[in-house]
């Protein structure tokens, strides 16, 4: 078993949806926020925009090949596709987004009701996006509505927080502790960890899955495969 990806992060190849939203005529994904994780975009092809909303206001940031940006928990974000927008997404806290560290911007009466929220998440991709975009446009027009949405989002995910701590402890915290131990060893003149170094690769998923912002190809970075000098994976 190889080492996990640096920093306990995850890596995903994202092809942003080209379909147009009925609510405002823009192509792209479903607006949402993360409550505990920072997300980074490395744009590798195409063009588009990142629409964001937080306490500082509503912003549109152009995206093109070579763009690198990231946003912290609480930034509502929506990838808008102007033409074949391709992104490598680096997400902090591998495992947390998959465990529910994301809330879509559905109208408040949906976010306030856990059963209605789950039912809305299960809608077909286009219907789910259109519902969330309608909520996003309302939030962008009303700062008071954004405050309410933040409170509703926290209440929605609160029951999961205990499980999230376990995921975080096994990834980010574990790597931080390992780095601390290495620094302590180096301070003693101990470099034994250098003799245990590895070259690790993570296979890309063979099939795409539908995500919030587009079609995803994930990498199993929590179960990397160690490579031998000849480039073959170690049994």
């Amino acid at each position: 078993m190889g080492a996990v990806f640096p920093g306990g992060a995850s890596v995903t190849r994202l092809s942003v949806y080209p379909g147009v939203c009925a609510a405002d005529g823009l192509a792209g994904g479903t607006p949402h926020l993360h409550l505990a994780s920072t997300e980074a975009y490395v744009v590798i092809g195409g063009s588009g925009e990142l629409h964001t909303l937080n306490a500082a206001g509503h912003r549109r940031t152009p995206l093109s090949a070579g763009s690198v940006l990231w946003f912290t928990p609480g930034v509502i974000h929506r990838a808008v596709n102007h033409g074949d927008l391709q992104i490598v997404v680096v997400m902090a806290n591998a495992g947390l987004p998959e465990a529910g560290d994301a809330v879509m911007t559905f109208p408040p009466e949906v976010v306030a009701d856990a059963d209605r929220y789950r039912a809305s998440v299960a809608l077909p991709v286009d219907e789910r996006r259109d519902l969330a975009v309608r909520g996003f446009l309302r939030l962008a027009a009303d700062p008071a509505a954004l405050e309410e949405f933040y409170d509703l989002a926290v209440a929605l995910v609160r029951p999961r927080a205990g499980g999230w701590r376990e995921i975080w402890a096994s990834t980010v915290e574990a790597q931080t502790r390992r780095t601390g131990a290495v620094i302590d060893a180096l301070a003693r003149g101990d470099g034994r960890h250098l003799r245990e170094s590895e070259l690790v690769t993570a296979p890309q998923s063979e099939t795409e899955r539908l995500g919030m912002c587009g079609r995803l190809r994930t990498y199993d970075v929590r179960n990397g495969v160690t490579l031998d000098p000849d480039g073959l994976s170690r049994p």
Side-chain angles (χ1 to χ4, degrees):
M1 185 69 67
V4 298
F5 198 75
S10 64
V11 180
T12 304
R13 172 72 178 264
L14 168 65
S15 299
V16 178
Y17 291 127
V20 173
C21 175
D24 63 0
L26 297 177
T30 299
H32 62 282
L33 60 71
H34 298 283
L35 288 100
S37 300
T38 292
E39 182 174 2
Y41 279 6
V42 181
V43 181
I44 58 175
S47 63
E49 291 181 329
L50 181 68
H51 292 198
T52 56
L53 177 65
N54 62 355
H58 185 201
R59 183 184 180 107
R60 299 186 177 194
T61 303
L63 299 176
S64 60
S67 298
V68 176
L69 49 82
W70 59 93
F71 35 92
T72 59
V75 174
I76 298 171
H77 50 284
R78 175 194 185 193
V80 173
N81 191 355
H82 290 171
D84 195 27
L85 185 57
Q86 303 288 324
I87 298 171
V88 172
V89 178
V90 181
M91 176 72 74
N93 306 320
L96 284 194
E98 296 80 2
D101 174 33
V103 173
M104 302 182 200
T105 56
F106 298 139
E109 63 272 16
V110 175
V111 183
D113 185 323
D115 291 335
R116 288 189 65 182
Y117 182 85
R118 283 192 293 269
S120 298
V121 169
L123 289 170
V125 169
D126 289 351
E127 294 180 32
R128 181 181 69 185
R129 178 203 58 207
D130 289 0
L131 182 63
V133 169
R134 289 200 297 271
F136 176 78
L137 295 175
R138 177 178 179 271
L139 295 174
D142 183 358
L146 178 61
E147 289 294 325
E148 178 190 18
F149 177 78
Y150 280 159
D151 291 340
L152 292 174
V154 170
L156 184 67
V157 305
R158 184 179 179 184
R160 302 182 180 185
W164 290 359
R165 178 169 291 279
E166 294 177 7
I167 294 171
W168 171 79
S170 68
T171 55
V172 179
E173 184 182 37
Q175 289 214 29
T176 299
R177 290 183 181 279
R178 184 175 187 276
T179 300
V182 165
I183 292 172
D184 290 343
L186 291 171
R188 299 192 302 270
D190 180 355
R192 280 177 293 179
H193 65 284
L194 302 177
R195 294 159 181 81
E196 300 170 357
S197 56
E198 299 174 300
L199 173 62
V200 185
T201 186
Q204 182 178 243
S205 59
E206 295 183 359
T207 59
E208 291 183 330
R209 65 180 179 85
L210 302 180
M212 284 178 281
C213 291
R215 295 182 178 274
L216 307 176
R217 285 191 180 272
T218 58
Y219 296 82
D220 190 5
V221 295
R222 289 189 289 171
N223 295 291
V225 177
T226 300
L227 297 178
D228 285 330
D230 58 6
L232 300 177
S233 59
R234 186 179 301 169

